[in-house]
Amino acid sequence: MILLQGVVNGVLLGLVYALIAAGLSLIFGLMEIVNFAHGQHLMLAMYGAYWLAVLYGVDPLLSLPLWAFALFLLGVATYWLVIARVLRAPMLAQIFSTFGLGVFLQSLAQFVWSPDFRLVPSPLVKGRVEAFGLFVGIPELVASIGAVVAFSVLYLFVTRTESGMALQATSEDREAAALVGINSHRMFALGWGMGLACVGVAGVLLSNFYYIFPEVGFPFALIAYVAVALGGFGSIPGAFVAGIIIGLTEVLSGLLIGPAYKYLFVFLIYLVVVIVRPQGLFGRY
């Protein structure tokens, strides 16, 4: 029964990881640039949900669409103000541009909001439910359901809409896409917007039960990188499968071996993937 409880908790956690990784994978698959500020964008969404709850009494679940849209706009702005300027620059310049952006956002959060840990007071979803001897936290359950819904919307957008097809065409061959009238810069901006909207949704869902502080996005981003590497850079379905695998690995290794070793096995997966199958389970890079 304890093992089954661990599996349930691992799947719930993994679904949130999958949504965070999906945004990262979408951006990389589109333009082969890793967003090293992904965790800090998650942190911004969590702070946004927190302050709206504290100052105006708006529960994070109710403000979720607002912050998803705000992060979408932030992603579009990030592309035009930062990424577009280094698009043709050497890889190191691209890496340091997003890494520097992450350092700036985290330092800004420490300066404005202090390093204190914060928690949303009295969220709408709290407590736990019991079924067949298993206990599930309601905030974690709602977060996983929200992650599945957001993931499904992203997948349907990319695979079933004209804009999504244009994104895929740009991802496959931006020069060929330009020949048929697809503006690659608009697609890149859309990709950044969609990627940050995903992490915005994940951040708001996490704010219901996770402490909020300036460095909160760092561990989530690290695990998201592992999930993207395992699923395959640029593969959205791969991010989904890999997120669940990572969630199960983290919870079960912490349960069966010891909490201090739970990240050891997560990053061991990363090393094995890089050595044995660098393109990941579903990737093409």
Side-chain angles (χ1 to χ4, degrees), residues 32-67:
E32 299 178 29
I33 290 180
V34 178
N35 179 20
F36 287 98
H38 208 61
Q40 285 71 31
H41 290 124
L42 179 84
M43 174 267 296
L44 288 180
M46 296 178 76
Y47 268 113
Y50 169 80
W51 284 115
L52 211 54
V54 170
L55 298 177
Y56 301 102
V58 181
D59 188 83
L61 285 184
L62 301 178
S63 66
L64 191 150
L66 170 66
W67 293 114

Side-chain angles (χ1 to χ4, degrees), residues 210-223:
Y210 209 88
Y211 280 106
I212 303 165
F213 52 100
E215 297 84 8
V216 66
F218 183 69
F220 285 102
L222 274 182
I223 293 172

Side-chain angles (χ1 to χ4, degrees), residues 93 122 128-129 156 201 245-246 253 255:
S122 303
R128 66 180 185 179
V129 293
L156 291 175
V201 171
I245 293 175
I246 295 297
S253 59
L255 183 67

Side-chain angles (χ1 to χ4, degrees), residues 168-203:
Q168 291 190 60
T170 306
S171 172
E172 291 288 339
D173 191 331
R174 66 184 69 170
E175 283 79 15
L179 289 176
V180 295
I182 297 174
N183 187 318
S184 58
H185 284 291
R186 289 184 181 176
M187 290 301 104
F188 292 157
L190 177 62
W192 270 82
M194 295 293 295
L196 262 63
C198 288
V199 82
V201 171

Side-chain angles (χ1 to χ4, degrees), residues 41-272:
H41 290 124
L42 179 84
M43 174 267 296
L44 288 180
M46 296 178 76
Y47 268 113
Y50 169 80
W51 284 115
L52 211 54
V54 170
L55 298 177
Y56 301 102
V58 181
D59 188 83
L61 285 184
L62 301 178
S63 66
L64 191 150
L66 170 66
W67 293 114
F69 184 63
L71 267 291
F72 175 87
L73 294 179
L74 180 61
V76 173
T78 300
Y79 173 74
W80 287 113
L81 296 176
V82 179
I83 304 303
R85 299 173 187 274
V86 296
L87 200 56
R88 298 185 182 280
M91 182 183 291
L92 277 178
Q94 297 173 347
I95 291 173
F96 283 116
S97 63
T98 58
F99 184 79
L101 176 63
V103 172
F104 169 75
L105 292 176
Q106 185 170 307
S107 301
L108 183 66
Q110 287 180 334
F111 177 74
V112 176
W113 297 313
S114 81
D116 294 343
F117 283 52
R118 304 171 192 273
L119 199 59
V120 171
S122 303
L124 282 178
V125 289
K126 53 188 174 183
R128 66 180 185 179
V129 293
E130 180 186 2
F132 307 108
L134 300 175
F135 295 92
V136 177
I138 296 177
E140 289 84 352
L141 181 62
V142 170
S144 62
I145 294 173
V148 170
V149 171
F151 206 98
S152 302
V153 170
L154 174 66
Y155 184 75
L156 291 175
F157 176 82
V158 171
T159 58
R160 304 294 174 84
T161 67
E162 188 174 336
S163 296
M165 296 295 182
L167 276 174
Q168 291 190 60
T170 306
S171 172
E172 291 288 339
D173 191 331
R174 66 184 69 170
E175 283 79 15
L179 289 176
V180 295
I182 297 174
N183 187 318
S184 58
H185 284 291
R186 289 184 181 176
M187 290 301 104
F188 292 157
L190 177 62
W192 270 82
M194 295 293 295
L196 262 63
C198 288
V199 82
V201 171
V204 173
L205 293 171
L206 284 170
S207 69
N208 272 314
F209 59 93
Y210 209 88
Y211 280 106
I212 303 165
F213 52 100
E215 297 84 8
V216 66
F218 183 69
F220 285 102
L222 274 182
I223 293 172
Y225 296 140
V226 177
V228 171
L230 177 60
F233 286 93
S235 172
I236 294 177
F240 184 81
V241 174
I244 295 175
I245 293 175
I246 295 297
L248 284 170
T249 302
E250 179 182 325
V251 173
L252 291 179
S253 59
L255 183 67
L256 299 176
I257 300 173
Y261 300 101
K262 62 180 182 179
Y263 291 125
L264 172 66
F265 291 92
V266 170
F267 293 110
L268 183 62
I269 289 178
Y270 177 78
L271 289 177
V272 171

